[in-house]
Amino acid sequence: MSIASSIASSGQGWQYTALVLYFAAMIAIGLYAYRKTRNDLDGYMLADRGLKPWVAALSAGASDMSGWLLMGLPGALYVSGLVESWIFIGLTVGAWLNWTFVAPRLRSYTEVANDAITIPSFFGKRLHDKTNVVRIVCGVVILLFFTFYISSGMVASGKFAESAFGFDYVWGMLSVAGVTMLYTLFGGFLGASLTDVAQGLLVVVALLAVPIMGVIDLGGFDATLDGIRAVDPERLSMFAGGSALAIISACAWGLGYFGQPHIIVRFMALRSPGDVPVARRIGIGWMILCGIGAVGTALVGIAYFGQAGNPDLNDAETVFLVLSQLLFHPFIAGLVLAAVLAAIMSTVSSQLIVCSSALIEDLYKLVAARAGWRELAPIAYVRLGRLGVLVIAVIALIMALSPSNSILTLVAFAWAGFGAAFGPAIILSLYWRRLTTAGALAGIIAGAAVAYVWGQTSLNETMYEIIPGFLANFLVAVPVSLMTKRSDPDAIDAEFDQAVALARRKRGKEHRVLEPTA
């Protein structure tokens, strides 16, 4: 029996109570969002562009980090030391750049471009793509890879519930998936965003509480550092064991932010572009605090488990879980453990909404229009959106019943794949009016293909595949655009200028600043 399991068995009643309270709170927030959500697709999928900056900021952070922040990162730091912190540094810088350069223009441009509510529809309307080929390709890519991504999150939740709470894998996964699906199904984008806020606050409090209590238990800051040096002084170095290329590759994780649909959709849902500076400060502040907590947890773990008489840690990725159960009362430990589920669930719920919106807005509507089907009432599209959430969740659950390495491999590729495919296309769409449909499509395909091929070879051991994929996208999209024509250059130029002007406006209380153009 592992340390975590043996500790959990001694206080399971308290931990189950904490878990039930957490689940009940998430469902209650989802029902609240259901009552506040307008019964049309814009309200269900994008909260009617009414997110306050603090909601958008915490929601973007929580939907991004998943269980990696509480298990993967502390585990890597525990094994290798501070050299692993370059990944988080790169992510923080990437998030800041994303909030600074992408958020204001994407918020304004998606409104100006005929009120686009998804990334694929933004590409189609921004480029005036009458063939809808870019929109369809992007919708299919999102649907395919996020279904695997969601399945991976469910696998992680099942394994976590099994190891931390002693649940059967399937029942643990079904419990977590059921609660996540329930509040997403009814609450829509607003429900996912509001639960993300609660989950993000729980995560940051838990990540800070564990190392603080650990330092106190070890006898103070100096005693903790002495304990780390006694185990391995190089673990306090940010450069020991890491080559320059490895550090660059680690920092390159930040490039992925520009193309993650479940993150940048939060920018589109802000009340106005003027809310971006406040949201950026809150979001980056949250990330920094979480990073400090993850690093502190790993360092405390090195000192704690390196002391004579203390047990050994069987699995490095459980350092956060084990410390929380050793340092806190079982009820508090249960809430801390729920933070891991919160990180996983916030990501899954956000991806369910993105998949549902791609299915209805970017595929069903296009098929219906081409087939000549009649236009549905707004409430009917909301019901289809909820059906989309249910269908995708069920497919992901079926895949997760028999977890395999192939799913986890696809998830590892998804960050690089989305970043390389969509990131440059987003940047060029917002900052280069000359981008054409052919250029965007060629760049998206080239970026995804290079990232995938590079990731399947030994080359990814020396350089993270997002770097060549990102570069390939730019190197293909720009020359192809220069060699091809835009669909409607006068209209595109007018919308581009309008979006830039709207993005530069100062913060105001108004929801709609400019009327979208047809």
Side-chain angles (χ1 to χ4, degrees):
M1 181 181 289
S2 66
I3 302 173
S5 298
S6 61
I7 298 172
S9 63
S10 63
Q12 280 187 341
W14 286 106
Q15 293 188 2
Y16 288 164
T17 301
L19 187 63
V20 168
L21 289 175
Y22 164 71
F23 281 163
M26 295 304 101
I27 293 173
I29 292 173
L31 293 175
Y32 169 81
Y34 172 71
R35 294 171 62 88
K36 293 291 184 180
T37 298
R38 201 175 64 182
N39 285 324
D40 61 19
L41 203 59
D42 194 22
Y44 185 73
M45 297 297 184
L46 211 60
D48 201 30
R49 297 189 192 272
L51 287 193
K52 295 179 181 178
W54 60 273
V55 176
L58 292 176
S59 177
S63 63
D64 159 33
M65 286 303 175
S66 189
W68 172 84
L69 180 63
L70 293 97
M71 297 179 70
L73 180 59
L77 288 160
Y78 178 84
V79 172
S80 303
L82 291 180
V83 69
E84 294 290 345
S85 64
W86 287 107
I87 293 178
F88 195 84
I89 292 172
L91 289 172
T92 304
V93 173
W96 183 86
L97 293 172
N98 207 21
W99 275 108
T100 301
F101 295 104
V102 172
R105 288 207 180 187
L106 186 63
R107 170 59 184 85
S108 63
Y109 217 144
T110 52
E111 181 177 333
V112 168
N114 203 20
D115 210 19
I117 64 172
T118 68
I119 295 302
S121 66
F122 166 66
F123 284 137
K125 294 175 180 180
R126 155 67 177 85
L127 298 167
H128 286 237
D129 176 23
K130 296 179 177 60
T131 67
N132 288 316
V133 63
V134 173
R135 189 169 172 180
I136 292 171
V137 168
C138 292
V140 170
V141 169
I142 287 174
L143 202 60
L144 177 63
F145 285 105
F146 268 158
T147 300
F148 284 99
Y149 215 143
I150 293 166
S151 180
S152 160
M154 292 180 177
V155 170
S157 66
K159 290 183 175 180
F160 170 74
E162 183 180 38
S163 63
F165 292 98
F167 289 175
D168 173 75
Y169 166 78
V170 173
W171 283 109
M173 180 186 65
L174 289 174
S175 299
V176 176
V179 172
T180 307
M181 185 169 58
L182 189 63
Y183 71 68
T184 307
L185 190 72
F186 289 102
F189 182 83
L190 180 60
S193 298
L194 292 179
T195 51
D196 283 349
V197 170
Q199 291 161 339
L201 292 174
L202 181 60
V203 165
V204 72
V205 170
L207 272 171
L208 292 174
V210 168
I212 289 173
M213 291 300 296
V215 168
I216 293 173
D217 187 80
L218 288 167
F221 188 71
D222 291 337
T224 303
L225 290 178
D226 290 339
I228 297 168
R229 294 189 186 101
V231 174
D232 182 5
E234 289 196 344
R235 296 197 199 181
L236 291 172
S237 170
M238 294 184 64
F239 300 97
S243 65
L245 191 57
I247 291 174
I248 292 172
S249 291
C251 291
W253 276 78
L255 293 174
Y257 272 111
F258 299 110
Q260 303 301 318
H262 61 300
I263 297 173
I264 58 180
V265 72
R266 265 70 188 171
F267 304 160
M268 298 160 57
L270 280 165
R271 295 177 303 183
S272 74
D275 282 331
V276 169
V278 175
R280 180 182 62 222
R281 287 192 289 270
I282 295 171
I284 299 304
W286 180 88
M287 283 191 71
I288 291 172
L289 289 176
C290 287
I292 291 171
V295 171
T297 296
L299 295 180
V300 166
I302 294 170
Y304 188 93
F305 295 109
Q307 282 187 338
N310 283 348
D312 295 326
L313 189 66
N314 300 322
D315 182 355
E317 290 193 342
T318 64
V319 60
F320 174 81
L321 310 180
V322 174
L323 283 175
S324 66
Q325 291 173 306
L326 287 167
L327 297 171
F328 294 102
H329 181 276
F331 179 75
I332 302 299
L335 292 177
V336 173
L337 292 175
V340 180
L341 287 180
I344 296 170
M345 292 166 68
S346 61
T347 301
V348 169
S349 62
S350 299
Q351 292 167 347
L352 279 172
I353 288 294
V354 170
C355 283
S356 178
S357 62
L359 186 63
I360 305 305
E361 177 72 9
D362 301 311
L363 296 178
Y364 172 82
K365 278 191 172 183
L366 294 180
V367 171
R370 181 159 296 185
W373 299 345
R374 66 180 179 86
E375 183 76 12
L376 299 179
I379 186 62
Y381 284 120
V382 174
R383 289 167 181 161
L384 282 177
R386 291 191 174 114
L387 180 62
V389 169
L390 182 62
V391 169
I392 294 161
V394 170
I395 293 173
L397 265 174
I398 293 172
M399 293 168 59
L401 290 174
S402 179
S404 64
N405 290 330
S406 62
I407 293 176
L408 299 179
T409 301
L410 278 171
V411 171
F413 160 71
W415 183 266
F418 277 131
F422 293 158
I426 288 288
I427 294 170
L428 290 172
S429 293
L430 299 177
Y431 283 91
W432 192 43
R433 69 181 71 217
R434 185 66 182 77
L435 182 68
T436 65
T437 299
L441 183 62
I444 288 169
I445 294 173
V450 169
Y452 176 77
V453 172
W454 191 283
Q456 301 306 305
T457 68
S458 59
L459 291 171
N460 71 340
E461 297 177 4
T462 56
M463 181 182 291
Y464 184 35
E465 57 263 31
I466 197 172
I467 298 176
F470 211 83
L471 291 174
N473 192 325
F474 276 114
L475 292 174
V476 170
V478 172
V480 171
S481 292
L482 292 174
M483 292 186 292
T484 55
K485 294 181 178 180
R486 293 180 292 172
S487 298
D488 192 351
D490 291 338
I492 289 175
D493 286 342
E495 290 175 358
F496 189 94
D497 292 337
Q498 190 179 13
V500 172
L502 176 56
R504 289 175 177 170
R505 292 198 176 193
K506 293 183 178 180
R507 183 185 179 191
K509 294 183 179 180
E510 69 276 7
H511 178 197
R512 299 282 175 168
V513 184
L514 294 177
E515 290 298 324
T517 57

